[in-house]
Structure formats: C-alpha cells, structure tokens
Amino acid sequence: MTAQPERIVVVGASLAGLAAAQRLRERGFSGALTLVGDEPHPPYDRPPLSKQVLRGLYSADTTLPRPPGLRAEFRLGRPATRLDLSERVVELGDGSRLPYDRLLIATGTRARPWPNPEEAALTGVFTLRGRDDAQRLGACLQAKPRRVVLVGGGFIGFEVASTCRDLDIPVTLLVRDAVPLAAALGARLGGLIGEVARERGVDLRLESEIERMEAENGRLVAVTLKDGERIETDCLVAAIGTLRNVEWLAGSGVQADAKGLRCDAFCRVLREDGRVAEGVFAAGDVARWPNPHDDDALVAVEHWGNARAQAETAAVNMLAGDASAMRRHDHLPDFWSQQFGLTIKLVGLADGADSFALMHGALEERRLVAAFGKDRRTIAAASIDSARWLPAYKAAIRERAPFPPIADAVDQPRLLVQEP
C-alpha cells in the first residue's frame, strides 16, 4: 500500500489544474497543495474569449470561481522549467524548487505563432489563445479595422469570423484546405459551415495561403496571397493551431513530444522506456492517452469537457492506495461551438471516419443530426441546432453500436443520406 501524499504540485493553473485541486480536496487530501502557472492570471475560462469577450459583452477577466476550502498556494507568472524525477522536484523560472510526492502536469497548449517572426511582430498581427490575446484582439475589433484577415480553417477561425460579422467588420478567411473544418466535422458538415459563412458575408477563400505581409512603420497594411492577389488589411489573426507545452520536460526522461505527454489509461505519465513515472500524472490538452472508444488509439483532446474530466480522474488516482484502486479515464470527448447564429455540438471524434449518415433534419434547413462511422461502427455524432438527440447517439458510441445507429426513430428521414 502506497503512503498517502503530503505534498502535491500541479503544474498548470488553468481549468484542468483547478479542477484537479478541487477534486483532491473533495477526496480528503489535507496536505500541501501548490498550483504553478506561467501566466500571471488566476485560472480562467477560455471558451468565452473567442465569443463574448471579442464581442465586448464580457471583459477579458473570465476568472473561474475558486471553491471555498481549496487551501492552495498559487505560484503565478512563474513557469516550470525542469522536472527531476529522481529527486521528485519541479524547478521554476525564478530558481525556486518545489518538491512533490505527487505531481500533476496540466500545462496545456499555446497558440502556434506565425512562422515568420518579423511578420508575427507587426502591429495588427494577433493570435488567440489566452486572456491577454483576447483583450488585445478585442480592443482592435472595437476600433473597427477596415478588414480582418483570418488564417486557418478551424473552429477558432470561424468563431472569430462570426464575431467580425456580428460587429459589421469585413472579414476574409483563408483556409489552406479544400474543405473547412473537415477533420472535426467531415466534408459534408464542414462544407455546410463554409456555405453559411459565405451567406453571412465572409469572404471565404479555400486552398489559399499568404505569400508575404506588407508593413508601413511596423504596422500591417496588406497581405499578398500565393496566387498574387493583394488584400489590404490592418488586422490579421493567425488561427493556425496550437503547440503543446512540453519543452520544459526535455531531458527529464518522460515521453513528451509535439504530440503531447504520453500517459496510460489511468493518467500516469510514462517514462521513455515505457515504465510508469512514479507519482507523476497528466491531464488536459497536453496529455496523450489511450482512447477506450477507439480501441485505445492514442489521442490528445483539446476540449473543455475532457480537461475537466481527465483532471478529476487524475486527482482520484493520485490518492489511490495502489494501481488496483485506480480509475480508468473513460471520458467520451465532446465539444460545442457557436457561430453565425448556429450551435454546433459534437460527441466522439469524427477524425478518421470512413462513413457519414444524416440521421435527422436536413442540410438545407441547417438543423440536423449526423453520425460518423469507422469500420462499420459508430464513432461520433454531430448536431446543428438540434442537440436533443445527441444523448442517444452518445450511448450508441459508448456501446460500439453498428453504423448507422438508431433506425426508424421519431423525426428521422425515411431514407438516410449515407455516404462512404
């Protein structure tokens, strides 16, 4: 039986870190609890940043409520710089050393910067990930730029495009791929969202990339595309993905690379030789773990719900007496987005699907439920303004139901639109 920990350190003071700390206290942990964050802000909520904050409806202070009785020490604005497994110590950027009995790594991700550093440093070029990013970009949008150029065909790009149109700001959205949002929603639904964006006034350019930026006195004034077209703009948002915050783990002996920090089904971090790193756990966007809903394929999920659920599972396992008492992380990924007046919800992971079926509603109505299959098994479902059916599909995914699931249901079309 492993002795109960006296000192727990959580590296990452965001949603996952705070959720883990709260669960540790709820489970009876009474020892020293320290949360380390590289940002100076206390834990805050990120989803409103690309929506209500940019619209000016909320301030950028989306601080998460701190539960009473947390009794935690916060080391904010001091990033972790090194992990020593043998001494069980985390070193911080200010030179301090934090010994631990248990360690949770929840360092998350950061926005992928624009690849040209000189262009990235121009006034008017933004990324959007953290609170400070949202505050700067929100101020720019409130000042009414003459045109916003967005680069990236993911949800952040489309959410910001929606916000720009709500603010009556002209916007051009550049997507490198032939279909936007295809990895998350498949070609049919991704194409549908692209159509909606164009209807709402977005200048959507598919298979388009920037060749160079043009500046005057250090300020962005235009971009030139690879096809030679020049677009005048004083505000560009690079929404080109994220980078996992694992650099500080170099040389520590754990499995960490651009794909994330490798952990097992119980959120325990693995060493480079495949053994468990004693007392070290991972949760949230940085963690790469075996997904039980896809035959244990390794996955890193950057969703709000997974960050919270995985942190809570890790907290329970950190206090377990031995491995036999640990709980497997069994969260089925889910996600939602609001854009152009639509609410999009997704359960499961559609990336890698080999089949698609429209289960309820119609594409033309922009109100529907669709299912995704892989190897004749249901792996994901998505809804647009029609979420009431999603719990049934969530159950079908968990049960590994054949594809397509749920035939002859109420409100279901007589003939399913099914595609390979």
Side-chain angles (χ1 to χ4, degrees), residues 18-64:
L18 185 63
Q22 182 175 358
R23 181 51 60 94
L24 286 167
R25 291 304 191 202
E26 290 172 351
R27 301 285 291 196
F29 175 64
S30 58
L33 179 58
T34 303
L35 277 76
V36 176
D38 60 347
E39 294 184 79
H41 310 297
Y44 60 88
D45 209 14
R46 294 184 187 275
L49 298 181
S50 61
K51 307 173 183 70
Q52 294 91 340
V53 171
L54 292 189
R55 285 180 170 84
L57 302 177
Y58 293 0
S59 76
D61 183 2
T62 58
T63 300
L64 292 163

Side-chain angles (χ1 to χ4, degrees), residues 8 51 55 76 86 122 188 214 253 279 304 322 359 363:
I8 292 181
K51 307 173 183 70
R55 285 180 170 84
L76 301 177
S86 60
L122 294 175
R188 291 296 299 273
E214 183 181 327
W304 191 97
D322 53 48
M359 306 301 296
L363 293 170

Side-chain angles (χ1 to χ4, degrees), residues 114 119 149-151 174 208-214 222-227 233 236:
W114 188 251
E119 293 178 341
V149 170
L150 290 160
V151 184
L174 305 176
S208 293
E209 296 182 67
I210 290 177
E211 179 67 29
R212 64 182 179 276
M213 297 184 193
E214 183 181 327
V223 297
T224 299
L225 307 186
K226 289 192 172 181
D227 64 5
T233 178
L236 180 143

Side-chain angles (χ1 to χ4, degrees), residues 197-277:
R198 282 183 167 136
E199 291 172 4
R200 299 301 174 90
V202 175
D203 175 24
L204 177 61
R205 309 288 188 94
L206 302 177
E207 298 181 285
S208 293
E209 296 182 67
I210 290 177
E211 179 67 29
R212 64 182 179 276
M213 297 184 193
E214 183 181 327
E216 292 180 1
N217 301 319
R219 181 177 295 274
L220 176 72
V221 296
V223 297
T224 299
L225 307 186
K226 289 192 172 181
D227 64 5
E229 182 178 357
R230 182 178 181 272
I231 300 174
E232 293 188 356
T233 178
D234 48 358
C235 178
L236 180 143
V237 183
I240 53 177
T242 58
L243 298 174
R244 292 182 173 82
N245 295 319
V246 297
E247 291 83 359
W248 69 283
L249 297 169
S252 67
V254 300
Q255 293 186 39
D257 57 25
K259 295 180 180 179
L261 175 58
R262 179 75 166 86
C263 59
D264 68 7
F266 305 101
C267 306
R268 299 180 297 183
V269 169
L270 300 182
R271 291 174 175 264
E272 292 173 344
D273 60 8
R275 294 182 296 130
V276 169

